[in-house]
Amino acid sequence: MKDEKKEYLVHKQMYQSTVKRNKKIGLANMFVLATGLALKYIGRPDIGEHFIWLGIVILLYTFGSNMLAKKEMQKHQPK
């Protein structure tokens, strides 16, 4: 039982570090999306669309990363 709890705590720390990292990435992603929208608004849609798509890809990455980390943590939860 003790080993299971240690393993769970290790996976919980990994999950928390992933979430913390993804929050920082999310802030940078908001800047990327804002830049894309601003460029599209000021009349440079050719460049703005690339920034918007980059923001969407980053958003999908952070969402998937969080979901995988949470699933891994729950898999090792002590019973």
Side-chain angles (χ1 to χ4, degrees):
M1 181 77 163
K2 194 172 186 178
D3 291 336
E4 289 177 6
K5 186 160 184 150
K6 282 183 184 180
E7 188 175 340
Y8 171 71
L9 291 175
V10 167
H11 284 283
K12 186 175 180 181
Q13 285 178 335
M14 288 171 44
Y15 169 71
Q16 289 172 344
S17 68
T18 301
V19 169
K20 188 176 180 181
R21 183 191 70 219
N22 284 346
K23 282 184 182 181
K24 291 178 184 177
I25 292 172
L27 289 174
N29 189 31
M30 286 180 55
F31 177 74
V32 169
L33 285 170
T35 302
L37 289 173
L39 286 170
K40 202 164 181 174
Y41 179 73
I42 62 172
R44 297 296 307 257
D46 52 333
I47 300 172
E49 287 182 14
H50 292 295
F51 276 97
I52 292 172
W53 280 109
L54 177 64
I56 291 171
V57 169
I58 293 171
L59 181 69
L60 290 174
Y61 165 77
T62 55
F63 180 73
S65 175
N66 278 342
M67 297 311 288
L68 287 174
K70 187 170 187 166
K71 185 177 179 181
E72 188 67 27
M73 182 187 72
Q74 289 175 348
K75 186 168 66 171
H76 294 284
Q77 194 169 18
K79 295 173 172 112

